[in-house]
Amino acid sequence: MDKLIEKAADIIVNSTLTPALTGAGISVESGIPDFRSAQGLWSKFDPAEYATITAFKSNPEKVWEMLREMDKIVNKARPNNAHFGMGELEKMGYLNCIITQNVDNLHQAGGSKNVIEYHGNTNSLTCLWCGKKYKIEEKRGEFPPRCDCKKILKPDVIFFGEAIPQDAKVRSFQLASSAQALMVVGTSAVVSPANTIPAIAKQNGAKIIEINKERTHLTDSVTDLFLEGGASAIMSTLVEAVKKKVRGISSATVYNMQH
Ligand code: APR
């Protein structure tokens, strides 16, 4: 694994544009279950009944049973070392942007500033009838949360059957098509259009670094470096390797300047 980490650090330090694509796996070590692993959310709630916009419109009380359970977990969750490590890489200038499928806000809490949210964010709610918006804090504890017009509010997350925000799609495709490297962290890459990002980057010559606790369909198709393991341990080791490389480069530059 050390050799792979070394190679990944090399790619990252030498890349002029490195976005990342993240999925639920990066937040599992913060206590938020992913969707498709054995204990994943979809093993408890059938997405066809709880995660489509049709299901929400026809039975919002039922969908809020799942959302309420998720809200309790997300509200308690804190960033883990994978989130913090990506925040550090951004600060060091080696990670330009995170394209996330997650709605838990943990990348921002972990210090990342440039985050594209493909599936929205649980921080706010909207009334589908009168359009009024609320912060989640205004309605926490109210189940299901209702608008002043008495209708049940919808969280500002993208359900199956809803379109990805246009600006998120445009910006992420632009990044993928000019990336020199792409980090793919904690996603099964089965949901479109987020799962097209790695192929777009690959087609345009980017090196794909995949971090996952198990192999995915990307691993043998587009991935150049597969770093197998938990996201927080792998990311912490990778960030240390990048820092060591950067120290090496800067001291070599100083040496050359002095001789
Ligand atoms: N470290 C690294 N990878 C992990 C970890 C971990 N600790 N735990 C789980 N994983 C990996 C799993 O092996 C899997 O490949 O994370 C991935 C999670 O995949 P999914 O559960 O399918 O989640 P995601 O890819 O984000 O799903 C995409 O599907 O249901 C929709 O809207 C939902 O945004 C979600 C989208």
Side-chain angles (χ1 to χ4, degrees), residues 23-25 29 35-36 42 101 119 186-188 191 212-214 231:
E29 290 159 271
F35 295 95
R36 295 173 181 83
W42 296 155
Q101 302 169 86
H119 297 158
T187 181
S188 61
V191 173
N212 200 307
K213 70 175 170 55
E214 59 196 17

Side-chain angles (χ1 to χ4, degrees), residues 35-52:
F35 295 95
R36 295 173 181 83
S37 289
Q39 308 305 322
L41 197 70
W42 296 155
S43 66
K44 281 180 77 176
F45 296 100
D46 176 354
E49 288 178 43
Y50 287 91
T52 68

Side-chain angles (χ1 to χ4, degrees), residues 22-26 28-29 34-37 40 42 47 51 101-103 119 158 160 185-191 211-216 229-232:
T22 66
I26 197 169
V28 167
E29 290 159 271
D34 67 10
F35 295 95
R36 295 173 181 83
S37 289
W42 296 155
Q101 302 169 86
N102 301 341
V103 297
H119 297 158
I158 304 294
F160 286 114
V185 190
T187 181
S188 61
V190 295
V191 173
I211 296 175
N212 200 307
K213 70 175 170 55
E214 59 196 17
R215 302 177 78 84
T216 67
S232 51

